[in-house]
Amino acid sequence: MSDGASATGDLRDTSLDGPTLNVRLSRVWGTPRGLLGALTTVDHKIIGRRYIVTAFLFLFLGGITALVMRLQLAQPESGLVGPDTYNQLFTMHGSTMMFLFGVPIGEAMAVYLVPLMVGTRNIAFPRLNAFSYWVYLSGGLFLWISFLLNIGPDVGWFAYVPLSGPEYSPGKRADVWAQMITFTELSGLAVAIEIIVTVLKQRAPGMTLDRVPLFVWALFVNSFIIIFALPAVMIASTFLILDRLVGTHLFNPAEGGDALLYQHLFWFFGHPEVYIIFLPGTAFVSAIIPTFARREIFGYLALVLSLIATGFLSFGLWVHHMFVTGLPQLGAAFFTASSMLIAIPNGLQIFCWIATLWDGRPVWRTPLLFVAGFFFIFVAGGLSGIMLASVPIDTQVHDTYFVVAHFHYVLIGGNVFPLLGAIYYWFPKFTGRLLSERLGRWNFWLAFIGFNVAFFPMHISGLMGMPRRVYTYGPEMGWGDLQLLSTAGALLLFASFVLFVWNVAASLRRGDVAGPNPWNAGTLEWATASPPPPHNFNRIPLVTHREPLWAERGGLPVVTGLSVSHRELMVSSVAEAEPQLRETSPAPSIWPLVAAIAVGATFIGSIFTPYAVLWGALPVAAALTGWFWPKAMPEDEE
Amino acid sequence: MAGLTVATGVVVLVLTGLSYAGQRRLLGEEAAPVTIRVIGHQWWWEVQYEDPQPSRGFTTANEIHVPVGVPVQVKLESTDVIHSFWVPSLMGKQDLIPGRPSAIRFTAERPGVYRGQCAEFCGMQHAKMGLLVIAEEQADFARWRDGQVAPRPEPASDEARAGEAAFVAAPCSMCHQVRGTAAAGRNGPELTHVGSRRTLAAGTLPTSRGNLAAWIVDPHGIKPGVNMPLVKLDSDQLNSISAYLAGLK
Ligand code: HEM
Ligand SMILES: [Cu+2]
Ligand SMILES: [Cu+2]
């Protein structure tokens, strides 16, 4: 980068300083006020915030379906809901939690935080980012509106054929499920690409690969898992749609199709999915622990390597969901071994985190409490997981409440607890105010106790033979007391979420003002104001250390030379983060929204007639033409 | 570090080996003295006992009898969606996948009544797709088997005779078979000896004349979504049919 004004004569940040610089950049990077601004914005923080709020909304909706199920199961032969509603409820619950909460929440946090953490002004492909949010929102609304219109899917979150096929699920319910997958698919892939490119090409100078925060590493690896896993489920759901709407027989055994093929395709995605949900949890934990242990993370390299190992291994496990389908036995044993092996990188991570805390001086604020809760719950879930990896044990407890207990220990322990910790941790960055610490402690204990009371007894129900996905059971089965206990726990857990929402609402107005770095943390997002200005940083920081703010107590060194008269950011090299180019970053645009509406209408139309794909291509093409219409913009410069 | 890697490798291998040995025992494929075909339907189990002498084979539903101490081979098939055969106290589960026959074997060591349940979500009434396995001494089993091979017992009373006539004349006979009569439908459970079975509608109700009547009057109230339609009957027909079915021991 050259210092001083360049030959093109535009104003650079070298020639301005302090408030003037801030005002200039805010104007250039800001989002216009009003509705049009809201619909056209490409600011990763505004979109990230929307993403987070929307994902929480779906978590909440998913929670309500869970609560209704728990009330129904609280006693034998309860008549609160019938089988038709119950089957929709658990399908909605599972699909919402996995596709509308689980995958998006990690990406949502990444969209907000990764650009800040790597020290850049906006995410790569900001318009794609806007587009992906609109697609995600329409997919979610589509599913939930269908549910309210009583065409909610009722075939379980993995929608096995032939049950979900044309013969056994007439009507539109299974189509709704399959098409919702396509929506989340598209938005998930788009965000994964943005994250990868942001991490590889937009890191602040000096942020070599071994200085990249673990949070960023985790979400980076996660994006690769998403890119490799999601296409498998897209093939599964598209084949399903073709069978249902066009009359192919890909999964129809009577016509030479294969019902088991669907399961392989689904679980080739479905197992990595668990890690797509878990890796963001590790990202939050790896960010929270050093800050509150007041020491750098122990075993950085080991943690990075185990993230990568988890990424690879997660693709070698899918068959353990299919142990009771009559596969060749030696083949099944291979998957037993690989399922046990993945415990190793996971265990390694846990040891590194514990070592960090052990050796530090932990400050027990709410975020760290949630991390401690995560340790406890996730390790318990990991132990039951190793049990499930064994074929003989699995043939007993597969598809029972033991499994329901196991995966909630892993999913809620591995994702939701770290997530709540993460919200307590970054809320001040997002909003400028701290969440109440007192309510936070209540929130934690209520959630922790409620969770265990709800889910621990399910292990026992499962061992007593209670299958999952049953809308009722007879009193003679003897499951009633444990089920009642689970329901009581679920109510406590729900109360903890209400408390959380209350805390957020109250703190938004009356919380303590945070300042840029309330926790005295070390990573770059804390180097800027809370909430950050539209351009993130007045000047791009120069990174000299893994925890830059701890290394440079006297103020971060910065690099200069970026334009202040148009949106410009710096592109750097992949490994060493050497500055390479100044690149123009796109301005707000309405086209992503228009494109998302066109694409959404095509998807939804296609479940009524295959020709919708044909007609829909026109508005989609028109929107994309508008989007990519060439504009006069300054060329990228060295 | 190297030592640790080797140790982990060994632990994983040993655990996998143990797991594999257990799995071989459960799923082995040698011939067994008793062979049963179980065919899953939404939401009941068709049970066919095979015999080298075809005339000694027979079909029943939702209730399996086995002799104690004798290995039993269960061949599993499905004609509609995926179900899973599971009797927790006797064996792990095995899926019934359309187009992919599979099998599981088990030996009941002690006499008793074991409850089983479909373990793969198979639609609306997955919850009420139970079955019973009754393990009994060899002699009891042989007696039961002879009873099941025989056609239905002759109706013993006028009411039962009227019931049989009504049953055969009504749509019931399009879906249900009663060997020894003209009723030969195969869409629903075989009813030749329905009165001898302990439960109705795949473990949903204990068998009794009253429950038979309750089922026929309102199958959808008891098992919403079930594949048996409500058949309009007058009260005489209802009474006589229930008496008749209850007598099919
Ligand atoms: C808020 C507290 C929660 C409660 C009380 C709860 C409760 C339940 C219950 C009772 C079931 C079993 C339904 C059945 O088999 O009949 C279930 C299924 C499931 N839950 Fe949760 N859950 C909660 C949160 C979550 C979260 C946060 C996730 C994921 C991130 C999740 C993912 C799932 C999935 C994937 C299923 C399987 C659905 C299916 O069988 O198709 N749950 N949940
Ligand atoms: Cu079934
Ligand atoms: Cu079932």
Side-chain angles (χ1 to χ4, degrees):
Chain A
M1 307 249 297
S2 60
D3 273 6
S6 80
T8 54
D10 70 342
L11 198 56
R12 301 288 190 86
D13 58 4
T14 337
S15 23
L16 294 175
D17 218 350
T20 3
L21 177 60
N22 193 9
V23 168
R24 271 306 277 259
L25 280 169
S26 299
R27 198 160 61 226
V28 169
W29 285 87
T31 294
R33 286 176 173 283
L35 184 63
L36 196 63
L39 298 180
T40 56
T41 185
V42 291
D43 184 334
H44 75 99
K45 296 176 293 301
I46 299 179
I47 294 170
R49 205 164 62 205
R50 279 181 197 161
Y51 244 117
I52 296 170
V53 171
T54 313
F56 263 92
L57 196 77
F58 285 123
L59 173 65
F60 212 73
L61 289 173
I64 289 175
T65 52
L67 211 60
V68 180
M69 292 193 286
R70 284 306 335 152
L71 291 174
Q72 160 74 8
L73 294 176
Q75 43 180 325
E77 283 174 2
S78 143
L80 181 65
V81 296
D84 185 48
T85 311
Y86 189 89
N87 295 346
Q88 287 185 63
L89 282 173
F90 73 69
T91 306
M92 290 297 291
H93 172 76
S95 309
T96 301
M97 289 299 194
M98 299 309 260
F99 295 107
L100 299 177
F101 165 74
V103 178
I105 189 65
E107 296 195 318
M109 296 290 276
V111 164
Y112 195 106
L113 289 166
V114 164
L116 285 164
M117 283 196 178
V118 302
T120 184
R121 299 225 143 124
N122 203 354
I123 197 164
F125 313 127
R127 291 185 178 174
L128 185 63
N129 194 28
F131 172 75
S132 77
Y133 173 75
W134 297 121
V135 169
Y136 160 57
L137 182 68
S138 10
L141 290 178
F142 168 56
L143 180 70
W144 274 84
I145 291 173
S146 303
F147 175 63
L148 296 179
L149 297 177
N150 197 26
I151 45 171
D154 58 354
V155 286
W157 85 274
F158 36 80
Y160 275 177
V161 294
L163 183 61
S164 59
E167 205 175 332
Y168 301 101
S169 291
K172 290 288 163 219
R173 288 178 164 189
D175 300 316
V176 169
W177 180 85
Q179 220 42 317
M180 180 275 297
I181 302 288
T182 319
F183 278 96
T184 27
E185 179 74 21
L186 186 60
S187 67
L189 284 175
V191 176
I193 291 168
E194 295 152 22
I195 303 289
I196 289 176
V197 174
T198 308
V199 173
L200 288 179
K201 294 303 293 176
Q202 288 184 205
R203 300 198 310 279
M207 187 178 278
T208 51
L209 282 181
D210 61 346
R211 290 179 189 154
V212 171
L214 280 164
F215 177 97
V216 175
W217 265 114
L219 288 158
F220 178 68
V221 173
N222 202 35
S223 301
F224 277 103
I225 304 185
I226 290 176
I227 287 183
F228 288 110
L230 287 193
V233 72
M234 191 176 80
I235 293 174
S237 69
T238 307
F239 280 9
L240 177 60
I241 293 251
L242 288 175
D243 270 11
R244 292 182 55 87
L245 300 171
V246 191
T248 55
H249 293 284
L250 295 156
F251 298 131
N252 181 0
E255 299 288 338
D258 189 350
L260 218 50
L261 172 64
Y262 179 91
Q263 297 192 17
H264 281 291
L265 285 171
F266 188 89
W267 289 117
F268 187 81
F269 145 83
H271 196 82
E273 160 82 346
V274 176
Y275 291 91
I276 293 173
I277 292 181
F278 173 53
L279 286 195
T282 69
F284 307 148
V285 170
S286 291
I288 292 172
I289 284 188
T291 300
F292 292 96
R294 316 236 51 80
R295 130 185 236 299
E296 259 184 67
I297 197 90
F298 173 87
Y300 176 89
L301 185 63
L303 282 166
V304 172
L305 291 178
S306 55
L307 280 171
I308 296 173
T310 309
F312 278 109
L313 281 174
S314 69
F315 286 95
L317 308 179
W318 79 97
V319 169
H320 73 204
H321 296 269
M322 299 167 59
F323 280 161
V324 301
T325 55
L327 292 168
Q329 294 184 30
L330 201 60
F334 170 81
F335 287 92
T336 298
S338 62
S339 306
M340 290 181 181
L341 272 180
I342 200 157
I344 295 170
N346 285 331
L348 195 68
Q349 283 180 296
I350 306 246
F351 285 124
C352 290
W353 289 322
I354 290 180
T356 312
L357 282 171
W358 197 277
D359 197 50
R361 287 166 282 116
V363 188
W364 290 97
R365 305 293 295 268
T366 310
L368 196 56
L369 279 182
F370 275 104
V371 168
F374 148 78
F375 281 141
F376 184 88
I377 298 173
F378 185 75
V379 169
L383 289 177
S384 57
I386 293 189
M387 289 160 74
L388 290 173
S390 161
V391 175
I393 299 181
D394 186 60
T395 59
Q396 271 299 351
V397 294
H398 178 78
D399 272 335
T400 68
Y401 263 84
F402 187 89
V403 169
V404 176
H406 159 72
F407 66 68
H408 286 88
Y409 266 76
V410 192
L411 294 174
I412 297 187
N415 180 290
V416 179
F417 270 72
L419 173 68
L420 290 176
I423 299 291
Y424 277 89
Y425 181 59
W426 279 296
F427 189 81
K429 181 52 60 187
F430 298 159
T431 66
R433 289 179 188 271
L434 287 153
L435 283 168
S436 152
E437 188 69 18
R438 192 174 52 85
L439 287 180
R441 280 168 195 274
W442 275 95
N443 185 174
F444 169 73
W445 285 108
L446 213 54
F448 185 73
I449 295 172
F451 172 80
N452 285 294
V453 174
F455 289 97
F456 192 78
M458 289 188 195
H459 289 110
I460 308 172
S461 299
L463 292 176
M464 286 169 73
M466 180 162 174
R468 67 194 272 203
R469 299 174 161 180
V470 293
Y471 73 100
T472 191
Y473 53 92
E476 72 282 2
M477 305 308 304
W479 305 326
D481 293 343
L482 285 170
Q483 289 294 305
L484 185 62
L485 193 61
S486 286
T487 302
L491 287 169
L492 280 183
L493 186 55
F494 192 74
S496 80
F497 274 92
V498 174
L499 197 67
F500 171 75
V501 173
W502 169 260
N503 194 355
V504 167
S507 303
L508 268 179
R509 268 170 291 130
R510 293 190 300 275
D512 295 339
V513 174
N517 191 359
W519 311 113
N520 209 347
T523 37
L524 285 183
E525 78 274 26
W526 304 103
T528 183
S530 306
H535 50 285
N536 291 350
F537 303 93
N538 283 348
R539 292 208 175 96
I540 302 301
L542 177 71
V543 177
T544 56
H545 194 262
R546 211 173 275 153
E547 303 276 357
L549 302 194
W550 288 351
E552 309 281 351
R553 297 280 176 193
L556 282 178
V558 294
V559 290
T560 58
L562 287 180
S563 167
V564 296
S565 42
H566 70 271
R567 295 175 174 230
E568 192 172 75
L569 44 75
M570 199 190 74
V571 174
S572 54
S573 69
V574 169
E576 300 296 324
E578 310 263 14
Q580 288 174 323
L581 288 176
R582 294 184 291 124
E583 192 180 64
T584 309
S585 178
S589 160
I590 193 71
W591 289 111
L593 175 61
V594 176
I597 293 175
V599 168
T602 307
F603 284 170
I604 296 175
S606 73
I607 73 176
F608 297 96
T609 156
Y611 290 104
V613 178
L614 225 58
W615 303 329
L618 295 174
V620 171
L624 292 183
T625 311
W627 183 337
F628 292 112
W629 198 259
K631 287 162 274 294
M633 56 162 85
E635 276 306 306
D636 301 339
E637 289 167 82
E638 291 282 338
Chain B
M1 198 61 200
L4 201 64
T5 317
V6 172
T8 336
V10 170
V11 170
V12 169
L13 275 178
V14 168
L15 289 178
T16 308
L18 286 174
S19 165
Y20 181 63
Q23 161 193 347
R24 292 285 301 193
R25 205 166 43 73
L26 285 174
L27 305 175
E29 268 152 23
E30 312 89 80
V34 179
T35 311
I36 305 171
R37 255 156 60 101
V38 170
I39 302 166
H41 298 275
Q42 281 178 320
W43 294 274
W44 58 282
W45 309 88
E46 179 176 346
V47 179
Q48 300 178 351
Y49 279 72
E50 295 187 344
D51 199 280
Q53 257 177 285
S55 64
R56 298 268 308 152
F58 62 90
T59 302
T60 174
N62 300 331
E63 190 174 297
I64 296 174
H65 287 239
V66 297
V68 287
V70 174
V72 177
Q73 167 95 347
V74 186
K75 297 183 182 167
L76 301 166
E77 289 163 32
S78 167
T79 52
D80 45 35
V81 302
I82 301 175
H83 305 271
S84 190
F85 181 79
W86 184 40
V87 186
S89 310
L90 294 176
M91 74 202 101
K93 26 186 106 53
Q94 185 72 29
D95 286 355
L96 292 72
I97 303 177
R100 287 184 169 260
S102 62
I104 192 167
R105 54 197 279 131
F106 70 96
T107 308
E109 302 295 349
R110 263 166 288 126
V113 178
Y114 302 89
R115 201 191 123 88
Q117 158 82 46
C118 175
E120 179 63 63
F121 181 66
C122 53
M124 183 90 107
Q125 277 302 340
H126 162 65
K128 292 189 178 168
M129 183 163 165
L131 81 159
L132 291 182
V133 173
I134 294 166
E136 51 201 2
E137 297 300 343
Q138 192 78 45
D140 295 332
F141 173 69
R143 203 170 315 121
W144 174 82
R145 191 169 185 156
D146 291 340
Q148 297 288 319
V149 172
R152 61 103 179 73
E154 284 295 332
S157 64
D158 286 347
E159 192 184 30
R161 254 185 299 279
E164 179 164 287
F167 182 87
V168 172
C172 319
S173 56
M174 284 165 19
C175 295
H176 293 288
Q177 182 169 39
V178 178
R179 279 175 278 131
T181 74
R186 301 302 301 262
N187 299 337
E190 155 113 15
L191 297 180
T192 311
H193 297 284
V194 65
S196 74
R197 303 207 282 259
R198 295 181 189 217
T199 62
L200 294 176
T204 308
L205 294 170
T207 309
S208 68
R209 186 178 159 170
N211 280 342
L212 276 164
W215 172 254
I216 298 165
V217 163
D218 187 14
H220 287 260
I222 292 165
K223 205 168 162 177
V226 73
N227 286 324
M228 166 158 154
L230 173 61
V231 178
K232 277 263 170 284
L233 298 172
D234 62 37
S235 63
D236 282 350
Q237 288 170 322
L238 176 65
N239 279 328
S240 60
I241 290 181
S242 336
Y244 166 65
L245 291 177
L248 293 179
K249 298 284 183 189

